Amino acid sequence: MSDVKRVYLDHAATTPVRPEVLDVMLPVFGRQYGNPSSFYRSGQEARRLVDQARQSVAACLHADPREIYFTSGGTESDNWAIKGTAAALGGKGRHIVTSRIEHHAVLHSCDALARQGYEITAVEVDADGLVSPEAVRAALRPDTILVSIMMANNEIGTIQPIREIGAICREHKVLFHTDAVQAAGALPIDVGDLNVDLLSISGHKFYAPKGVGVLYIRRGVRIANLLDGGAQESNRRAGTENVPGIVALARALELAVAEMPATAQLQSRLRDQLIEDVMSRIPHTRLNGHPTRRLPNNVNFSFEFIEGESILLMLDHFGYACSSGSACTSGSLDPSHVLLAIGLPHEIAHGSLRVTLGHSTQAEDLRRLTADLEQIVARLRAMSPLYEEKTQAGL
């Protein structure tokens, strides 16, 4: 089926670089290539570009430019926030609170600290993937130094009550970090209103290139450096700045914030129609994540009696690029830790499909997806002994 139209529906994994973003990025490779730490003209031109980008990102997040630190992406930002806090405040306490549905950049950072003697409390979530602010409050201890709860889940799209959790952390004088990698560019972010001390974003989730991100660090918050070396990023993050990536991230975030109301309205409408069509046409299907409190572009289904990997392979044959969950764990045969955390049994969690919409997504693409998915699920269930048992039982 080489002539079939290819439809990309995995924007939570990564996005293409927008032409407008590429336009500002390309000159920095060929003409404005100076090192921002150099004193001659081309170096100072690069420094000006980085400073302008910092101001732009700060405006998008309602932060002070001095609170914006450029990194290599969301994983580094999460590692720096968590490990840097632990290193700086380990003498005060060695307890960290997170949730069971965090990205592995957070969970594995916490695991690394646990091996060093820190105690990690992972609060439970409800069946929609929501973290209760009161559950966070109950998990706090006198030796708690950090709470890390993601703003929106990358697999099931559930948006967390970050403002309320942040207020609780402020009340108890505990630092609060949120992984906003999936939220940035899709949801409004005001770091003051959200009561966050640390916030991570990654450019390739909102049409900037891979390899560039941001860690917001509220003024007055001291965390240890993750990377040591030169004096870049106000002596807090060593390494020559990725100037093309930084310029691109800032432009992409500007565009995303400016277009957010219209984009969110359109994608929410397409999302809801897809959910309605699939749920009405394919029996034994579950929508994962909160029904309304979810990212505008995120849909996550579980289809009983079949495996997600088989669905993905057949969808690829039909021309669709989707996923069964986080791209960072796509090589694992284990079911999603997020789906298990919301209470799905292993056999249903294995049958998951994540569809994430983007700028290129058309209503016709999703109508065709629903029709093809109906056919694919029926074909796979016809080969499933579990489904055969169910139908023979008249269920």
Side-chain angles (χ1 to χ4, degrees), residues 152-173:
N153 187 264
N154 53 304
E155 293 194 32
I156 59 174
T158 298
I159 300 169
Q160 302 297 345
I162 295 301
R163 183 184 299 107
E164 293 83 352
I165 295 172
I168 291 170
C169 292
R170 282 285 159 84
E171 177 188 340
H172 290 267
K173 296 180 171 57

Side-chain angles (χ1 to χ4, degrees), residues 161 214 266 304:
V214 166
L266 172 61
E304 293 186 50

Side-chain angles (χ1 to χ4, degrees), residues 59-269:
C60 290
L61 302 180
H62 299 274
D64 187 299
R66 292 169 291 182
E67 299 172 316
I68 302 301
Y69 297 88
F70 293 111
T71 68
S72 64
T75 292
E76 182 191 332
S77 295
D78 286 346
N79 272 258
W80 185 11
I82 294 166
K83 295 174 181 177
T85 298
L89 301 180
K92 175 186 175 183
R94 298 174 72 83
H95 179 238
I96 294 172
V97 176
T98 187
S99 84
R100 289 187 58 200
I101 65 168
E102 299 299 308
H103 189 276
H104 280 122
V106 168
L107 294 179
H108 289 173
S109 292
C110 290
D111 289 344
L113 291 175
R115 292 191 290 272
Q116 299 174 30
Y118 288 81
E119 292 187 66
I120 312 297
T121 298
V123 298
E124 301 287 342
V125 297
D126 67 14
D128 293 325
L130 273 175
V131 175
S132 163
E134 290 308 311
V136 174
R137 185 193 298 275
L140 296 178
R141 307 185 330 203
D143 62 338
T144 304
I145 56 173
L146 177 70
V147 171
S148 181
I149 303 292
M150 68 196 331
M151 189 169 176
N153 187 264
N154 53 304
E155 293 194 32
I156 59 174
T158 298
I159 300 169
Q160 302 297 345
I162 295 301
R163 183 184 299 107
E164 293 83 352
I165 295 172
I168 291 170
C169 292
R170 282 285 159 84
E171 177 188 340
H172 290 267
K173 296 180 171 57
V174 173
L175 291 184
F176 180 40
H177 165 249
T178 188
D179 175 338
V181 167
Q182 288 295 327
L187 302 175
I189 296 179
D190 182 327
V191 291
D193 182 59
L194 291 175
N195 300 308
V196 296
D197 300 297
L198 303 151
L199 180 143
S200 305
I201 69 174
S202 186
H204 77 106
K205 304 299 187 179
F206 47 86
Y207 302 90
K210 302 168 185 66
V212 62
V214 166
L215 179 63
Y216 158 80
I217 306 176
R218 184 173 59 81
R219 289 188 69 191
V221 171
R222 292 298 166 192
I223 65 174
N225 291 353
L226 185 66
L227 299 178
D228 295 311
Q232 293 88 357
E233 296 300 289
S234 301
N235 287 299
R236 302 191 77 169
R237 195 272 185 184
T240 302
E241 294 91 342
N242 173 9
V243 184
I246 288 169
V247 169
L249 180 147
R251 181 60 177 146
L253 190 59
E254 285 176 359
L255 291 168
V257 170
E259 298 168 358
M260 192 178 296
T263 301
Q265 182 180 35
L266 172 61
Q267 292 186 348
S268 295
R269 179 171 55 79

